[in-house]
Each structure stands twice: as C-alpha cells, then as structure tokens.
Amino acid sequence: MKLKEFAKHLDLSPTTVSRALSGYPEVRESTRKRVADAAIRLGYRPNINAVRLVTGRVGAIGILMERGREVNFAEFLSGMGERLDGEDIDILVSPIAEHDAKEEMQLFSRLVESRRVDAFIVNAPRPNDERIALLHKLGMPFLVHGRSETDVPYAWLDIDNEGAVKRATAYLLDLGHTRIAMINGRPGVTFSLHRDKGYRDALVERGLQFDPRLVAHGSFTDEIGFRFARSFLEQSPRPTALVAGSMMTALGVYSAARSLGLVVGKDISVIAHDDVFPYLNADNMAPSLSTTRSSMRAAGKRSAELVLQLLSGKPATEIQELWPVELILRESTGPVSRGEGR
Amino acid sequence: MKLKEFAKHLDLSPTTVSRALSGYPEVRESTRKRVADAAIRLGYRPNINAVRLVTGRVGAIGILMERGREVNFAEFLSGMGERLDGEDIDILVSPIAEHDAKEEMQLFSRLVESRRVDAFIVNAPRPNDERIALLHKLGMPFLVHGRSETDVPYAWLDIDNEGAVKRATAYLLDLGHTRIAMINGRPGVTFSLHRDKGYRDALVERGLQFDPRLVAHGSFTDEIGFRFARSFLEQSPRPTALVAGSMMTALGVYSAARSLGLVVGKDISVIAHDDVFPYLNADNMAPSLSTTRSSMRAAGKRSAELVLQLLSGKPATEIQELWPVELILRESTGPVSRGEGR
C-alpha cells in the first residue's frame, strides 16, 4: 500500500500520516494512535525515505564522543537508548579527540551541512563554549547536558553540581573535619567549576581558608584517584576527609588509603559522586561508600525526551531543568579522629 | 571552487577526487595525498552531499547498542573512534533492548532500506545468529566482533576466549587448586560458550570432573560478581580459586571474599578477564589482580580498520583475525593452602 492510499483510507493528509509515523511527537496523541493502529491492522509499512522527504527529518540525534569521557558517555547513551528504543530514531556518534575546539566546530558544520542529524546534544560544556554559539547560529536544534555562560538562549539539562559538593563538604565539616581534600574532574569544564565553587563556599561559610594544595583536577579514573589521594595523604598534616569526583576515583582513593595503612571511614572519610553505573555499586564497596548521587542514565533518557520536545516545537528557553542531587551516607564517612582535624 | 573545476586542476576525474576525499581507502595513497594537499593549498572544501552521490557512500558505520553491555560497548566505540577520528565517518548507534532478535532484524532491515550506513559491526554474536544471515542476504557489508557458526561467509575479529580461560584454569590447576569456580558472561553468546569450553577442557585434561555447581553465568557487574562469589564461597567444601569474566565481576569477588574474612591470593585465588578499561587498573587493586588481558579498545580500533578494508573491496573471507590473549600474573593467585583443594 502506498502512503497516499493509506492516508486517504484514514481521511488524513499524507503529511500528517508521515509525521505520525516518523517518531516525532508533533501529532496529537489520539491521531498518532489511530494511524499506528491502522498501520498494524492494514499491514502498512512506510517507506522511510518518503517519510524523511515529507517531514524533513532524518531520524537521528547527533552527539560527540570525546576521548577520555567514555564511561560517562556510555551511561548517557544508554539512557538515550531507553527513550529512543522503538522510535526509529538513531544516535549519530562522532568520535573526537579530547577538547579540540577547532575539530569540533568543523564537525558540527559538516554534520549540519550534510543534514545527517535533526538535533544535537552537547555534553560537558565549558563556560564560554563556541560550539553552543555555532549551533545557535546554524539554526540547528540542540540540547546542552550541563550549562554554559555562552550568551545565547539554549535548552539544557543539568544536575546541581555546586549544591551537591557544597552539601557533601558541609557534612564533612559538621563531622569536625577541617582539612578536606577534593579530587575534581577535568579543569575548564563547567561542572568542575561548579563543584569547585560548592567546595569553596562550604569552607568560606565556616570561616575556613581555601587551600589550593588540597584540590586536584583530572579525568575520572582509578589511577588518577590513587595518585592524587596518595599525594594528599602523604601531606603533613594530612587531610582527614576527601571528596572524590566519581566512583572510579573513589576506587583509587580506597586503594591509596589501604596502601598507607589507613582505614576508610575512620582515618579518612570519603564521599564520592555516584553516576549510578549498573556495574559498580557503592553499597558493595568495603566499607560502603557515602555518595552524592545522580543517575547519568536518567539524564540521558530525559535528554532524549527533551530533544523530542524541542523538535516538536517547544521553545528552547522553556527547556531548562536543574536536577537536585541526593547525599547518601554510608560507612565511608565518620567523625574526625581525636587529635586530628584542627 | 566546484568539484569539477578542482578535479580538472588535478587532472583527475571528479569520481577519483571524491573517493580520495571521502575517507575510504579506495584510492592509491599517493593520489590521496596529492588530492588532500591540493585541497588545503587551494582551499577546496568538498560538498559532502556531492561526495556521497558520487561514491554511493553515506560515511557512517552502524552498530547496535544492546542494553546491559554498555561498559564494553563504550570501550569498543572509543577504539572505533580512534581509527575514524578525522575520517569524516560517523558511527550510527541503534539502541536496542537486550537480545531481542525480532527487534534487531527489523532494525537492520530499516537501516539497510533507508541507506543510513555503509556497513555494520555485529557485536556479541550467538552461535546461530540470524542477524549474520540477514546482513549477508541483504548484501550489506559487515564485520562480526566475535564468532558465530552461522553458515555464511563473513568477516570477523575475535579474541581467543577459549584459549585464555583454558590457560587461566590450567595455571590454577598447576598451583594445586582442584575446586575452581567460574563466573562467566551471559549464557548463549558465543564468547561465553568458548570460555565454558576452555574451562571444561582444562579440567578434563587433568582427569577432573566438571561440576556444574561451580559455574555461573551473568552480566559483567560487581553486583553479580559479589552474589555468585558469595554463594560459591559458602559451599562446603568451598572453591579455592575463581575465574571471573570481567574486572567488574572481580570487584564483586574481592568484596565477597572480604565480607567472609577470606584473603584474596591466599584463601582464594582469582584470575579475571581484563578488557583494559582506562579507568580501572588491575595493578591498583589490593591485592593486585592476575588477569587474562585483551584490549577492547584495540579491538574496536582494528574493527573500524577492517570495515574500511571491507568497503575498499577486500573479500570478507580474507578478513578473519583471531587474537591471542595474555595471561598476566599478579598477587591474587597463589598455591592452594595446605589441607585444602583436595
């Protein structure tokens, strides 16, 4: 059956039918359901190229995969997958080297020019992010996962990194810790800056001085967690608490503590940010790990949903979500030991 | 400058120029270099849609992302990215639910029909894999990462899973262990079956009986590692050695041993398969973990290269690579304790 014939049968225009079947939520739900039911009943199978031609959509969302961010990327992608599964919308992944602004700009131009995607998702933005300005200029719909200070209106979804780290640090201060180290993410990206601010603000509110020797930045790996934790714990006086940027970082921190004969939760308190990876559980660590928690997968799922809303015509400035972050206390945090922390 | 004009300048056909610039290795290296140099010198920027039209290529490789396999998938994808970075070739990721053969088949048909990709990579195949038969039938170039017994010629890259586990098990037997447990990957996929075979064969060669109570299958997570290890270690007599399918599994095994007051490397020897994740290092675990090792990222990189060879006309049956797997001994393996293991 041809599209025209099928549409006539439903007393709808071919355009409406195509849109209803294209996977984008532009058509009223009742109409969409009627078309879908009829398609099943009558065995109508749309010609995808025809649908594309009518809707002007290619059925793909673009995203860059930056080297060194793979583990978070995979979780985010899985979340997108959960939302897009069954929607006939694919994800076009463009691999890029780490933070190569020029390469990224060329890539965006190329993808926009060749009409390979309907929308983009920008991950791990920087405060002044040329990619955001470019996508805005090119008129390409996009969602930012994170935030930027780039001066154009844009849709975004972010977690409250600043609030999360501030709360974690304040909790450690409540326990009597005063020398608190932090292993943060890569320098220069907005989420690291937000976390830096949360950490500083918590200290300043208690009248404590910020000590740059207690803060380090790097990728989220056990190796980097191990190295920074070792060098912090070898300081004298040594820190009695540590805020870690990721679960992987925390694995390295645990190893470093053990290698120095220190007991996590007693000699050194640890709180890490947990993106809720299905394969690494804070409850199963020994001792179980206190965390600030926000699911990266849920963020990916919601981001895909927000992109669909964007494509259905919702203004970008109405798509701005800030998610609160939970603080979950387990065995890795405790009061400062007697004679320490002052 | 138009393609025709640029090609004339180089005294080449527009087709050759397009091919040289399309990112596929069909053109002699010297010609390719000459075209690329001239493009830079003369500021020629190809119209991507024109290139696509001439070469019949869309510049994308398709791959399915199956739920529950994200961590390995991300590493594989990163490896592909390393090879494709700068090639103007993207990766089209289609999210799918876990092992839904019908959904996968529909998806393949749709992607082939809509000409969205030039080639596919099939991950984690099963012995009788309908996807392989379908792609062969549809005439779509594809590479299998892993192996299948499906009766069509196909290109593949695999690691020697059978040999790796056989060698790991034999080494544990050499140390005097006789009750050796294994936490393998999901049932039904070829690599799990190959690992099962390697394990059994090692036992049988020493005249030992295979005990099904010592083998479990599941996803590669710390949670599943923890649960299976707990239940193995509570058996009486308990196993004195354990072969784990992944680094994540090993994290769970370490926690389970600790929770029972057992010392890894003394009370229980552990060898795990290491896909060489950049964020989780066997050397940094306490005790450091003995592994069978093969880089998932390297496999992704090589797979992208092999797909390019396939697209440049190399016959599928000439693209078949089996990679050996290293066995790396660290502190988590030791001789069976006196009075045990018999």
Side-chain angles (χ1 to χ4, degrees), chain B residues 61-76:
Chain B
I61 297 172
I63 188 164
L64 304 187
M65 177 174 65
E66 202 173 352
R67 214 167 296 162
R69 289 199 66 251
E70 292 85 2
V71 60
N72 287 319
F73 180 81
E75 273 302 292
F76 188 85

mmCIF file with all atom_site columns, all heavy atoms in Angstrom, chain B residues 61-76:
data_model
loop_
_atom_site.group_PDB
_atom_site.id
_atom_site.type_symbol
_atom_site.label_atom_id
_atom_site.label_alt_id
_atom_site.label_comp_id
_atom_site.label_asym_id
_atom_site.label_entity_id
_atom_site.label_seq_id
_atom_site.pdbx_PDB_ins_code
_atom_site.Cartn_x
_atom_site.Cartn_y
_atom_site.Cartn_z
_atom_site.occupancy
_atom_site.B_iso_or_equiv
_atom_site.pdbx_formal_charge
_atom_site.auth_seq_id
_atom_site.auth_comp_id
_atom_site.auth_asym_id
_atom_site.auth_atom_id
_atom_site.pdbx_PDB_model_num
ATOM 1   N N   . ILE B 1 61 ? 29.127 4.075  9.826  1.00 0.00 ? 61 ILE B N   1
ATOM 2   C CA  . ILE B 1 61 ? 29.148 2.652  10.152 1.00 0.00 ? 61 ILE B CA  1
ATOM 3   C C   . ILE B 1 61 ? 28.113 2.420  11.248 1.00 0.00 ? 61 ILE B C   1
ATOM 4   O O   . ILE B 1 61 ? 28.072 3.158  12.222 1.00 0.00 ? 61 ILE B O   1
ATOM 5   C CB  . ILE B 1 61 ? 30.554 2.228  10.632 1.00 0.00 ? 61 ILE B CB  1
ATOM 6   C CG1 . ILE B 1 61 ? 31.577 2.426  9.509  1.00 0.00 ? 61 ILE B CG1 1
ATOM 7   C CG2 . ILE B 1 61 ? 30.559 0.778  11.112 1.00 0.00 ? 61 ILE B CG2 1
ATOM 8   C CD1 . ILE B 1 61 ? 33.015 2.217  9.938  1.00 0.00 ? 61 ILE B CD1 1
ATOM 9   N N   . GLY B 1 62 ? 27.267 1.428  11.051 1.00 0.00 ? 62 GLY B N   1
ATOM 10  C CA  . GLY B 1 62 ? 26.202 1.153  12.018 1.00 0.00 ? 62 GLY B CA  1
ATOM 11  C C   . GLY B 1 62 ? 26.615 0.132  13.062 1.00 0.00 ? 62 GLY B C   1
ATOM 12  O O   . GLY B 1 62 ? 27.399 -0.778 12.792 1.00 0.00 ? 62 GLY B O   1
ATOM 13  N N   . ILE B 1 63 ? 26.108 0.305  14.252 1.00 0.00 ? 63 ILE B N   1
ATOM 14  C CA  . ILE B 1 63 ? 26.375 -0.654 15.322 1.00 0.00 ? 63 ILE B CA  1
ATOM 15  C C   . ILE B 1 63 ? 25.195 -0.637 16.295 1.00 0.00 ? 63 ILE B C   1
ATOM 16  O O   . ILE B 1 63 ? 24.592 0.413  16.520 1.00 0.00 ? 63 ILE B O   1
ATOM 17  C CB  . ILE B 1 63 ? 27.728 -0.330 16.015 1.00 0.00 ? 63 ILE B CB  1
ATOM 18  C CG1 . ILE B 1 63 ? 28.128 -1.411 17.001 1.00 0.00 ? 63 ILE B CG1 1
ATOM 19  C CG2 . ILE B 1 63 ? 27.720 1.033  16.697 1.00 0.00 ? 63 ILE B CG2 1
ATOM 20  C CD1 . ILE B 1 63 ? 29.606 -1.325 17.410 1.00 0.00 ? 63 ILE B CD1 1
ATOM 21  N N   . LEU B 1 64 ? 24.844 -1.800 16.816 1.00 0.00 ? 64 LEU B N   1
ATOM 22  C CA  . LEU B 1 64 ? 23.751 -1.874 17.780 1.00 0.00 ? 64 LEU B CA  1
ATOM 23  C C   . LEU B 1 64 ? 24.304 -1.725 19.192 1.00 0.00 ? 64 LEU B C   1
ATOM 24  O O   . LEU B 1 64 ? 25.372 -2.233 19.497 1.00 0.00 ? 64 LEU B O   1
ATOM 25  C CB  . LEU B 1 64 ? 23.036 -3.226 17.696 1.00 0.00 ? 64 LEU B CB  1
ATOM 26  C CG  . LEU B 1 64 ? 22.482 -3.649 16.337 1.00 0.00 ? 64 LEU B CG  1
ATOM 27  C CD1 . LEU B 1 64 ? 21.671 -4.930 16.480 1.00 0.00 ? 64 LEU B CD1 1
ATOM 28  C CD2 . LEU B 1 64 ? 21.625 -2.554 15.731 1.00 0.00 ? 64 LEU B CD2 1
ATOM 29  N N   . MET B 1 65 ? 23.574 -1.010 20.026 1.00 0.00 ? 65 MET B N   1
ATOM 30  C CA  . MET B 1 65 ? 23.951 -0.925 21.432 1.00 0.00 ? 65 MET B CA  1
ATOM 31  C C   . MET B 1 65 ? 22.927 -1.689 22.252 1.00 0.00 ? 65 MET B C   1
ATOM 32  O O   . MET B 1 65 ? 21.787 -1.261 22.411 1.00 0.00 ? 65 MET B O   1
ATOM 33  C CB  . MET B 1 65 ? 24.007 0.529  21.904 1.00 0.00 ? 65 MET B CB  1
ATOM 34  C CG  . MET B 1 65 ? 24.337 0.656  23.379 1.00 0.00 ? 65 MET B CG  1
ATOM 35  S SD  . MET B 1 65 ? 24.565 2.384  23.882 1.00 0.00 ? 65 MET B SD  1
ATOM 36  C CE  . MET B 1 65 ? 22.912 3.017  23.619 1.00 0.00 ? 65 MET B CE  1
ATOM 37  N N   . GLU B 1 66 ? 23.341 -2.828 22.734 1.00 0.00 ? 66 GLU B N   1
ATOM 38  C CA  . GLU B 1 66 ? 22.424 -3.693 23.454 1.00 0.00 ? 66 GLU B CA  1
ATOM 39  C C   . GLU B 1 66 ? 22.423 -3.312 24.922 1.00 0.00 ? 66 GLU B C   1
ATOM 40  O O   . GLU B 1 66 ? 23.480 -3.100 25.515 1.00 0.00 ? 66 GLU B O   1
ATOM 41  C CB  . GLU B 1 66 ? 22.900 -5.144 23.300 1.00 0.00 ? 66 GLU B CB  1
ATOM 42  C CG  . GLU B 1 66 ? 21.835 -6.171 23.513 1.00 0.00 ? 66 GLU B CG  1
ATOM 43  C CD  . GLU B 1 66 ? 22.353 -7.575 23.180 1.00 0.00 ? 66 GLU B CD  1
ATOM 44  O OE1 . GLU B 1 66 ? 23.472 -7.693 22.647 1.00 0.00 ? 66 GLU B OE1 1
ATOM 45  O OE2 . GLU B 1 66 ? 21.647 -8.541 23.464 1.00 0.00 ? 66 GLU B OE2 1
ATOM 46  N N   . ARG B 1 67 ? 21.235 -3.236 25.511 1.00 0.00 ? 67 ARG B N   1
ATOM 47  C CA  . ARG B 1 67 ? 21.153 -2.879 26.921 1.00 0.00 ? 67 ARG B CA  1
ATOM 48  C C   . ARG B 1 67 ? 21.881 -3.921 27.768 1.00 0.00 ? 67 ARG B C   1
ATOM 49  O O   . ARG B 1 67 ? 21.806 -5.108 27.496 1.00 0.00 ? 67 ARG B O   1
ATOM 50  C CB  . ARG B 1 67 ? 19.684 -2.758 27.351 1.00 0.00 ? 67 ARG B CB  1
ATOM 51  C CG  . ARG B 1 67 ? 19.514 -1.670 28.399 1.00 0.00 ? 67 ARG B CG  1
ATOM 52  C CD  . ARG B 1 67 ? 18.074 -1.310 28.601 1.00 0.00 ? 67 ARG B CD  1
ATOM 53  N NE  . ARG B 1 67 ? 17.475 -0.739 27.405 1.00 0.00 ? 67 ARG B NE  1
ATOM 54  C CZ  . ARG B 1 67 ? 16.163 -0.671 27.222 1.00 0.00 ? 67 ARG B CZ  1
ATOM 55  N NH1 . ARG B 1 67 ? 15.343 -1.169 28.118 1.00 0.00 ? 67 ARG B NH1 1
ATOM 56  N NH2 . ARG B 1 67 ? 15.676 -0.107 26.130 1.00 0.00 ? 67 ARG B NH2 1
ATOM 57  N N   . GLY B 1 68 ? 22.624 -3.478 28.753 1.00 0.00 ? 68 GLY B N   1
ATOM 58  C CA  . GLY B 1 68 ? 23.330 -4.403 29.625 1.00 0.00 ? 68 GLY B CA  1
ATOM 59  C C   . GLY B 1 68 ? 24.763 -4.667 29.201 1.00 0.00 ? 68 GLY B C   1
ATOM 60  O O   . GLY B 1 68 ? 25.524 -5.322 29.898 1.00 0.00 ? 68 GLY B O   1
ATOM 61  N N   . ARG B 1 69 ? 25.151 -4.154 28.036 1.00 0.00 ? 69 ARG B N   1
ATOM 62  C CA  . ARG B 1 69 ? 26.528 -4.365 27.576 1.00 0.00 ? 69 ARG B CA  1
ATOM 63  C C   . ARG B 1 69 ? 27.265 -3.028 27.431 1.00 0.00 ? 69 ARG B C   1
ATOM 64  O O   . ARG B 1 69 ? 28.269 -2.928 26.731 1.00 0.00 ? 69 ARG B O   1
ATOM 65  C CB  . ARG B 1 69 ? 26.545 -5.083 26.214 1.00 0.00 ? 69 ARG B CB  1
ATOM 66  C CG  . ARG B 1 69 ? 26.121 -6.525 26.262 1.00 0.00 ? 69 ARG B CG  1
ATOM 67  C CD  . ARG B 1 69 ? 26.604 -7.266 25.026 1.00 0.00 ? 69 ARG B CD  1
ATOM 68  N NE  . ARG B 1 69 ? 28.051 -7.343 24.987 1.00 0.00 ? 69 ARG B NE  1
ATOM 69  C CZ  . ARG B 1 69 ? 28.833 -6.682 24.140 1.00 0.00 ? 69 ARG B CZ  1
ATOM 70  N NH1 . ARG B 1 69 ? 28.319 -5.878 23.233 1.00 0.00 ? 69 ARG B NH1 1
ATOM 71  N NH2 . ARG B 1 69 ? 30.142 -6.819 24.192 1.00 0.00 ? 69 ARG B NH2 1
ATOM 72  N N   . GLU B 1 70 ? 26.776 -2.007 28.102 1.00 0.00 ? 70 GLU B N   1
ATOM 73  C CA  . GLU B 1 70 ? 27.250 -0.649 27.847 1.00 0.00 ? 70 GLU B CA  1
ATOM 74  C C   . GLU B 1 70 ? 28.733 -0.439 28.116 1.00 0.00 ? 70 GLU B C   1
ATOM 75  O O   . GLU B 1 70 ? 29.402 0.294  27.402 1.00 0.00 ? 70 GLU B O   1
ATOM 76  C CB  . GLU B 1 70 ? 26.445 0.356  28.671 1.00 0.00 ? 70 GLU B CB  1
ATOM 77  C CG  . GLU B 1 70 ? 25.012 0.493  28.251 1.00 0.00 ? 70 GLU B CG  1
ATOM 78  C CD  . GLU B 1 70 ? 24.092 -0.539 28.882 1.00 0.00 ? 70 GLU B CD  1
ATOM 79  O OE1 . GLU B 1 70 ? 24.576 -1.353 29.699 1.00 0.00 ? 70 GLU B OE1 1
ATOM 80  O OE2 . GLU B 1 70 ? 22.901 -0.537 28.548 1.00 0.00 ? 70 GLU B OE2 1
ATOM 81  N N   . VAL B 1 71 ? 29.244 -1.068 29.160 1.00 0.00 ? 71 VAL B N   1
ATOM 82  C CA  . VAL B 1 71 ? 30.617 -0.745 29.544 1.00 0.00 ? 71 VAL B CA  1
ATOM 83  C C   . VAL B 1 71 ? 31.612 -1.235 28.486 1.00 0.00 ? 71 VAL B C   1
ATOM 84  O O   . VAL B 1 71 ? 32.525 -0.514 28.084 1.00 0.00 ? 71 VAL B O   1
ATOM 85  C CB  . VAL B 1 71 ? 30.935 -1.239 30.978 1.00 0.00 ? 71 VAL B CB  1
ATOM 86  C CG1 . VAL B 1 71 ? 30.773 -2.731 31.093 1.00 0.00 ? 71 VAL B CG1 1
ATOM 87  C CG2 . VAL B 1 71 ? 32.307 -0.815 31.397 1.00 0.00 ? 71 VAL B CG2 1
ATOM 88  N N   . ASN B 1 72 ? 31.399 -2.455 28.000 1.00 0.00 ? 72 ASN B N   1
ATOM 89  C CA  . ASN B 1 72 ? 32.268 -2.942 26.937 1.00 0.00 ? 72 ASN B CA  1
ATOM 90  C C   . ASN B 1 72 ? 32.023 -2.181 25.643 1.00 0.00 ? 72 ASN B C   1
ATOM 91  O O   . ASN B 1 72 ? 32.945 -1.870 24.901 1.00 0.00 ? 72 ASN B O   1
ATOM 92  C CB  . ASN B 1 72 ? 32.025 -4.429 26.700 1.00 0.00 ? 72 ASN B CB  1
ATOM 93  C CG  . ASN B 1 72 ? 32.593 -5.265 27.820 1.00 0.00 ? 72 ASN B CG  1
ATOM 94  O OD1 . ASN B 1 72 ? 33.685 -4.997 28.301 1.00 0.00 ? 72 ASN B OD1 1
ATOM 95  N ND2 . ASN B 1 72 ? 31.848 -6.256 28.253 1.00 0.00 ? 72 ASN B ND2 1
ATOM 96  N N   . PHE B 1 73 ? 30.761 -1.875 25.412 1.00 0.00 ? 73 PHE B N   1
ATOM 97  C CA  . PHE B 1 73 ? 30.394 -1.149 24.202 1.00 0.00 ? 73 PHE B CA  1
ATOM 98  C C   . PHE B 1 73 ? 31.127 0.189  24.116 1.00 0.00 ? 73 PHE B C   1
ATOM 99  O O   . PHE B 1 73 ? 31.641 0.563  23.065 1.00 0.00 ? 73 PHE B O   1
ATOM 100 C CB  . PHE B 1 73 ? 28.880 -0.921 24.187 1.00 0.00 ? 73 PHE B CB  1
ATOM 101 C CG  . PHE B 1 73 ? 28.390 -0.184 22.986 1.00 0.00 ? 73 PHE B CG  1
ATOM 102 C CD1 . PHE B 1 73 ? 28.182 -0.848 21.799 1.00 0.00 ? 73 PHE B CD1 1
ATOM 103 C CD2 . PHE B 1 73 ? 28.156 1.183  23.044 1.00 0.00 ? 73 PHE B CD2 1
ATOM 104 C CE1 . PHE B 1 73 ? 27.746 -0.165 20.681 1.00 0.00 ? 73 PHE B CE1 1
ATOM 105 C CE2 . PHE B 1 73 ? 27.716 1.871  21.926 1.00 0.00 ? 73 PHE B CE2 1
ATOM 106 C CZ  . PHE B 1 73 ? 27.511 1.194  20.743 1.00 0.00 ? 73 PHE B CZ  1
ATOM 107 N N   . ALA B 1 74 ? 31.171 0.898  25.239 1.00 0.00 ? 74 ALA B N   1
ATOM 108 C CA  . ALA B 1 74 ? 31.813 2.213  25.243 1.00 0.00 ? 74 ALA B CA  1
ATOM 109 C C   . ALA B 1 74 ? 33.289 2.105  24.884 1.00 0.00 ? 74 ALA B C   1
ATOM 110 O O   . ALA B 1 74 ? 33.821 2.931  24.148 1.00 0.00 ? 74 ALA B O   1
ATOM 111 C CB  . ALA B 1 74 ? 31.660 2.865  26.614 1.00 0.00 ? 74 ALA B CB  1
ATOM 112 N N   . GLU B 1 75 ? 33.947 1.082  25.390 1.00 0.00 ? 75 GLU B N   1
ATOM 113 C CA  . GLU B 1 75 ? 35.357 0.907  25.081 1.00 0.00 ? 75 GLU B CA  1
ATOM 114 C C   . GLU B 1 75 ? 35.559 0.572  23.616 1.00 0.00 ? 75 GLU B C   1
ATOM 115 O O   . GLU B 1 75 ? 36.464 1.085  22.952 1.00 0.00 ? 75 GLU B O   1
ATOM 116 C CB  . GLU B 1 75 ? 35.961 -0.214 25.946 1.00 0.00 ? 75 GLU B CB  1
ATOM 117 C CG  . GLU B 1 75 ? 36.456 0.258  27.268 1.00 0.00 ? 75 GLU B CG  1
ATOM 118 C CD  . GLU B 1 75 ? 37.509 1.343  27.107 1.00 0.00 ? 75 GLU B CD  1
ATOM 119 O OE1 . GLU B 1 75 ? 38.612 1.068  26.629 1.00 0.00 ? 75 GLU B OE1 1
ATOM 120 O OE2 . GLU B 1 75 ? 37.188 2.494  27.472 1.00 0.00 ? 75 GLU B OE2 1
ATOM 121 N N   . PHE B 1 76 ? 34.721 -0.299 23.108 1.00 0.00 ? 76 PHE B N   1
ATOM 122 C CA  . PHE B 1 76 ? 34.801 -0.691 21.701 1.00 0.00 ? 76 PHE B CA  1
ATOM 123 C C   . PHE B 1 76 ? 34.583 0.532  20.805 1.00 0.00 ? 76 PHE B C   1
ATOM 124 O O   . PHE B 1 76 ? 35.333 0.781  19.865 1.00 0.00 ? 76 PHE B O   1
ATOM 125 C CB  . PHE B 1 76 ? 33.747 -1.767 21.422 1.00 0.00 ? 76 PHE B CB  1
ATOM 126 C CG  . PHE B 1 76 ? 33.848 -2.385 20.061 1.00 0.00 ? 76 PHE B CG  1
ATOM 127 C CD1 . PHE B 1 76 ? 34.715 -3.444 19.827 1.00 0.00 ? 76 PHE B CD1 1
ATOM 128 C CD2 . PHE B 1 76 ? 33.086 -1.912 19.004 1.00 0.00 ? 76 PHE B CD2 1
ATOM 129 C CE1 . PHE B 1 76 ? 34.816 -4.014 18.568 1.00 0.00 ? 76 PHE B CE1 1
ATOM 130 C CE2 . PHE B 1 76 ? 33.183 -2.474 17.735 1.00 0.00 ? 76 PHE B CE2 1
ATOM 131 C CZ  . PHE B 1 76 ? 34.046 -3.531 17.526 1.00 0.00 ? 76 PHE B CZ  1
#
